[in-house]
């Protein structure tokens, strides 16, 4: 139920994604996606997310969801929201090292 995909441009690796299908709930969790630093800011993240969404709903899932956090790229949350994702829950976690 785990799927990993990559995105290439002119045969160069640009980024990746990893998602898990949760059969009982008929939903897909986008575990992570990323664009290599040298390709950021060129709309590849938007393209990749649109691909992920399109492919997920071709499988007739009930929901596609993702966790995001302050360690993600500064535009990650805006990208998700612009594609129709809604905030389900916000929380603050304090780490002590």
């Amino acid at each position: 139920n785990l799927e990993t995909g990559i995105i290439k441009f002119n045969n160069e690796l640009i980024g990746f994604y990893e998602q898990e299908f949760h059969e009982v709930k008929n939903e897909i969790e986008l575990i992570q996606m990323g664009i290599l630093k040298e390709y950021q800011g060129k709309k590849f993240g938007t393209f990749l997310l649109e691909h992920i969404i399109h492919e997920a709903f071709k499988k007739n899932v009930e929901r596609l969801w993702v966790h995001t956090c302050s360690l993600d790229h500064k535009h990650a949350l805006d990208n998700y929201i612009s594609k129709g994702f809604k905030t389900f829950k916000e929380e603050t976690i304090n780490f002590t090292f």
Side-chain angles (χ1 to χ4, degrees), residues 4-69:
T4 302
I6 60 170
I7 180 173
K8 288 183 169 184
F9 182 70
N10 290 334
N11 219 21
E12 293 289 323
L13 179 65
I14 292 175
F16 76 102
Y17 69 92
E18 184 176 45
Q19 62 187 19
E20 182 176 2
F21 176 63
H22 298 282
E23 188 173 356
V24 172
K25 293 185 175 182
N26 190 33
E27 63 186 24
I28 293 176
E29 174 186 1
L30 177 56
I31 297 169
Q32 57 184 336
M33 68 171 271
I35 302 298
L36 297 174
K37 194 170 195 160
E38 58 268 29
Y39 295 102
Q40 291 177 0
K42 299 178 179 172
K43 303 294 183 190
F44 289 113
T46 294
F47 178 80
L48 181 57
L49 185 56
E50 288 172 348
H51 170 76
I52 292 165
I53 293 167
H54 179 75
E55 292 300 309
F57 287 103
K58 277 178 39 179
K59 298 173 185 173
N60 293 315
V61 296
E62 294 294 320
R63 182 170 77 134
L64 170 65
W65 58 279
V66 62
H67 286 280
T68 188
C69 73

Side-chain angles (χ1 to χ4, degrees), residues 83-97:
K83 303 302 176 288
F85 284 80
K86 306 282 187 239
T87 301
F88 175 76
K89 179 173 75 171
E90 291 183 35
E91 62 185 349
T92 300
I93 300 171
N94 295 313
F95 292 99
T96 306
F97 294 96

